[in-house]
Amino acid sequence: MASDDISQLADALSKTHVGDGELSYKGLGLKLDNAESVEELVRDIEQYHGLRALRLEGNTVGVDAARAIAKALENKDLLQRCYWSDLFTGRLRSEIPTALRSLGSGLMSAGARLTELDLSDNAFGPDGVKGIEQLLKSPSCHTLMELRLNNCGMGIGGGKILAEALIECHRQSSALGAPLKLRVFIAGRNRLENEGARALAKAFQLMGSLEEVHMPQNGINYAGVMALASAMRHNPELRVLNFNDNTFTKRGTLAMAQALRHLRNVQVINFGDCLVRCEGAIALAAVLREGLPILKELNLSFGEITEAAALVVANAAMDKPTMEKVDLNGNCLGEEGCEALREAMENLHKGDMLASLSDDEGEPDDEDDEDGEENDDGEEEEAEEEDVSDHCNEDNEEDDEFVKENGMSRKDDSPAKPQSPAEILSFLSCPSAEKLLQLGEMRTDLQQQVDATDPNNAADVLLNIASLYNEEPETKTAVLETIDSLLKKLLCGSALPSYCFLSTLLVRMGLLKGEGKMKKVSLVPGQLLCLEHAVQQDYFTQHQASLLHTFLSKNGDALKSCSSSKDRLNSALEKRCLDQH
């Protein structure tokens, strides 16, 4: 070994931290190519009795050096924590799996029981995951609590290998009576995409022990997000969810909202840069209203959220006693919207809670509202009626497609609706005031034909019936009684399905830009007068009235053809919202 190298190594070793069971070579920038280059390090490891943590990050280790280190580890049965990030800078990609296998073999030979393994910032790709596959399956990882694989370039293939290894680890450890209970999983910047996310979702659901999940910037869109959401709800101790910079859109966000309803320990949610958009934001606001009792931070930045939806989120967040930070930066509020949001929070002495709005994108262009949205693949999204009903249903267990693919069980569908008399079917297919009056007492059965878990159909039925309103006393009474019956069913459940229905209604009315190809309804005054009546009833909560009022006050120009009835509705909403305070 050259004298210069020895001098460099000696100097580096003088900077190592030894104590509390930890031996650290962190950030020394050592170039460790062969057995000779690690002689002093190996000796240090061998002579460290009670070694529990080994920090090698920030050096570069070759195959032969890894073999020598592994040999030294074979007697370190107390080793629990391996911090080995940024360990292969400048190494050939073909070298890394061999080096990892050697290191893993040393741990397994020692009978070590790891609690933490950090291999972040090693661009080892799928082959690198193969290098740790046997280690992850072995008894040495049955006790693993934290796994960090950030920025490793795993790709879809690596994600699948990793998922299968975790599943096998859980199977073997469970057979021994002490199942794997992974608490922290970090795998950002790995291009896992939907297939990798789906594979890992199986492992997450099986373990059910996760407390932190960090998977930002993985190219996952709604299909993968839906799979992950189904898995998250089976991890009741979750505290931190970070899916920043993936593509949720409405479908993914609704699935996540549904999962969050069941999670009572979440403190941090980072869905920034996830294209949550307005309907998704409203769904998350609903979950804030009825759940997430100890949430501290909510990041919905860069999500194409407009002013009204941002205000709905902020109002829900301000009611959380533990909330410390709400990030709505980089959305589409516009200058006036930013000011309105700041003012709303400052009025309740919560101004410090709001993150900077310095990167706001400005109000969306009007022409953006005219065409269907395009997804990240450049294909126009299909209408989402079926997807909304899947995730607004409070009894929904998993997304049907995910359940089918993964062989999971789910509840039977709710009982079939009772057979409808021909008169009701005739009315629903072609509503008219005459048919409504002819139904007589059967009008009360109409609400049984409306599925509360299908907000698109429910909104259409409601607006169709409301369009029959006129001032003729018998017709007016029949319409309002029917509207009351329907809305009691649609609004008196939990917050999420009722908010999903209201957001769909807002889209139909032209007060909210929706995703997909849902058509706006050409409104008539009677429909707004029915809503004026409804918002004054006990079944229409103040929070629901506030939601409707926020969008009407910000986007009311969409109803200029019904200006008089719009003003009456707005006045009723203002009165109801004032009652709240």
Side-chain angles (χ1 to χ4, degrees):
M1 187 173 183
S3 59
D4 288 346
D5 292 336
I6 295 174
S7 177
Q8 179 191 15
L9 182 57
D11 181 62
L13 285 173
S14 70
K15 300 174 184 176
T16 61
H17 168 71
V18 181
D20 301 326
E22 178 181 291
L23 183 59
S24 175
Y25 311 117
K26 180 179 180 180
L28 299 181
L30 299 175
K31 191 172 187 296
L32 307 173
D33 295 326
N34 49 41
E36 186 180 9
S37 69
V38 295
E39 283 180 355
E40 296 296 330
L41 300 183
V42 165
R43 186 176 302 118
D44 222 11
I45 292 172
E46 290 174 339
Q47 292 177 356
Y48 197 120
H49 300 293
L51 181 64
R52 296 182 182 275
L54 178 59
R55 289 190 173 276
L56 296 178
E57 63 265 53
N59 300 289
T60 176
V61 178
V63 171
D64 291 337
R67 289 193 180 112
I69 295 170
K71 186 68 176 176
L73 292 175
E74 289 181 358
N75 295 316
K76 301 301 170 183
D77 60 322
L78 298 180
L79 186 60
Q80 296 177 333
R81 304 185 301 279
C82 296
Y83 303 106
W84 297 348
S85 62
D86 190 18
L87 200 59
F88 301 107
T89 300
R91 301 295 170 182
L92 295 175
R93 196 158 180 170
S94 58
E95 292 181 84
I96 300 175
T98 304
L100 288 170
R101 286 190 187 95
S102 294
L103 292 169
S105 178
L107 295 170
M108 290 186 285
S109 296
R113 293 293 184 266
L114 297 183
T115 58
E116 296 180 44
L117 177 61
D118 186 355
L119 288 166
S120 299
D121 301 316
N122 290 307
F124 50 48
D127 289 339
V129 185
K130 292 178 183 177
I132 60 172
E133 183 179 8
Q134 292 308 311
L135 172 63
L136 290 174
K137 292 179 179 179
S138 75
S140 288
C141 285
H142 287 184
T143 51
L144 196 62
M145 294 182 182
E146 300 186 16
L147 179 59
R148 293 176 168 84
L149 295 168
N150 201 58
N151 190 30
C152 289
M154 288 190 287
I156 294 171
K160 289 181 175 180
I161 296 168
L162 175 61
E164 288 302 320
L166 291 173
I167 289 169
E168 180 62 18
C169 182
H170 186 273
R171 187 190 69 79
Q172 291 187 20
S173 58
S174 296
L176 296 173
L180 171 66
K181 292 185 177 180
L182 192 67
R183 295 177 184 173
V184 177
F185 180 84
I186 300 176
R189 299 185 66 189
N190 273 290
R191 295 303 303 175
L192 294 169
E193 301 183 16
N194 289 339
E195 291 184 57
R198 285 179 182 273
L200 286 165
K202 296 180 189 180
F204 296 162
Q205 181 160 327
L206 189 63
M207 292 185 293
S209 56
L210 291 168
E211 296 179 11
E212 294 187 26
V213 178
H214 301 262
M215 295 176 66
Q217 203 172 345
N218 268 296
I220 305 168
N221 68 25
Y222 73 87
V225 173
M226 289 162 74
L228 289 168
S230 288
M232 292 303 101
R233 64 179 293 176
H234 292 274
N235 288 266
E237 299 304 316
L238 266 173
R239 293 182 294 106
V240 179
L241 271 179
N242 177 6
F243 292 110
N244 189 284
D245 198 8
N246 290 290
T247 308
F248 282 28
T249 60
K250 182 170 78 171
R251 284 175 275 195
T253 310
L254 290 177
M256 276 294 174
Q258 177 62 32
L260 288 168
R261 290 182 61 244
H262 301 270
L263 300 173
R264 308 291 294 175
N265 295 302
V266 175
Q267 297 179 29
V268 178
I269 294 174
N270 186 343
F271 294 164
D273 206 7
C274 285
L275 284 185
V276 164
R277 294 183 174 142
C278 294
E279 289 170 280
I282 291 171
L284 292 172
V287 180
L288 287 172
R289 288 288 184 200
E290 67 179 355
L292 300 171
I294 59 173
L295 188 67
K296 294 181 179 180
E297 295 184 22
L298 176 64
N299 184 345
L300 298 181
S301 59
F302 298 93
E304 294 189 1
I305 299 169
T306 59
E307 176 188 352
L311 285 167
V312 170
V313 170
N315 285 328
M318 285 188 288
D319 283 344
K320 311 300 289 185
T322 57
M323 187 67 76
E324 297 174 359
K325 181 180 179 181
V326 177
D327 191 345
L328 291 163
N329 194 24
N331 282 297
C332 304
L333 310 185
E335 187 174 340
E336 291 183 4
C338 289
E339 187 57 35
L341 184 58
R342 291 190 193 97
E343 183 178 341
M345 300 194 75
E346 287 170 359
N347 284 344
L348 293 177
H349 309 290
K350 298 291 181 72
D352 292 342
M353 184 190 296
L354 183 64
S356 169
L357 299 174
S358 59
D359 296 316
D360 187 72
E361 297 285 342
E363 294 182 63
D365 296 331
D366 291 339
E367 56 264 26
D368 292 343
D369 296 344
E370 301 300 322
D371 302 317
E373 292 294 326
E374 290 190 356
N375 63 22
D376 281 7
D377 299 322
E379 296 176 355
E380 201 171 86
E381 287 189 7
E382 297 177 358
E384 298 179 1
E385 281 84 351
E386 69 279 6
D387 299 299
V388 175
S389 61
D390 280 345
H391 299 292
C392 288
N393 182 359
E394 61 182 313
D395 294 321
N396 184 56
E397 283 295 322
E398 285 88 20
D399 175 66
D400 288 335
E401 185 178 356
F402 182 57
V403 173
K404 183 177 179 181
E405 285 188 7
N406 297 328
M408 299 175 184
S409 61
R410 70 175 293 162
K411 296 178 183 177
D412 292 333
D413 292 332
S414 56
K417 291 180 289 190
Q419 180 110 16
S420 301
E423 295 90 341
I424 289 180
L425 294 177
S426 174
F427 171 77
L428 289 173
S429 64
C430 187
S432 70
E434 182 181 4
K435 289 181 180 179
L436 183 65
L437 293 172
Q438 289 174 351
L439 287 177
E441 293 183 358
M442 282 194 292
R443 287 197 298 271
T444 58
D445 296 333
L446 273 172
Q447 55 91 13
Q448 296 178 19
Q449 305 309 311
V450 177
D451 184 356
T453 69
D454 184 354
N456 297 284
N457 175 258
D460 287 340
V461 171
L462 183 82
L463 290 172
N464 284 340
I465 294 173
S467 69
L468 306 178
Y469 177 94
N470 63 49
E471 292 299 330
E472 194 279 316
E474 189 177 8
T475 301
K476 178 179 179 179
T477 299
V479 169
L480 293 180
E481 286 179 351
T482 308
I483 292 294
D484 286 339
S485 176
L486 285 174
L487 286 177
K488 282 179 184 177
K489 177 177 182 177
L490 295 169
L491 299 180
C492 290
S494 64
L496 181 57
S498 66
Y499 271 47
C500 284
F501 163 73
L502 287 173
S503 67
T504 304
L505 184 64
L506 290 167
V507 173
R508 291 287 196 267
M509 295 171 65
L511 295 173
L512 167 62
K513 177 186 176 183
E515 291 185 15
K517 298 180 180 178
M518 290 190 289
K519 294 181 179 178
K520 300 173 185 176
V521 173
S522 296
L523 294 176
V524 295
Q527 292 164 320
L528 302 185
L529 295 177
C530 285
L531 284 175
E532 178 206 9
H533 162 83
V535 300
Q536 300 175 67
Q537 309 307 309
D538 290 341
Y539 60 73
F540 215 108
T541 70
Q542 291 168 330
H543 289 315
Q544 292 163 349
S546 176
L547 168 63
L548 192 55
H549 179 254
T550 299
F551 277 88
L552 183 61
S553 62
K554 299 300 178 183
N555 305 320
D557 287 347
L559 306 182
K560 57 187 175 183
S561 62
C562 306
S563 58
S564 176
S565 52
K566 182 200 79 171
D567 291 342
R568 287 177 56 176
L569 172 58
N570 193 53
S571 177
L573 286 167
E574 285 180 352
K575 184 177 185 302
R576 192 66 196 272
C577 292
L578 285 174
D579 291 343
Q580 183 175 356
H581 302 292

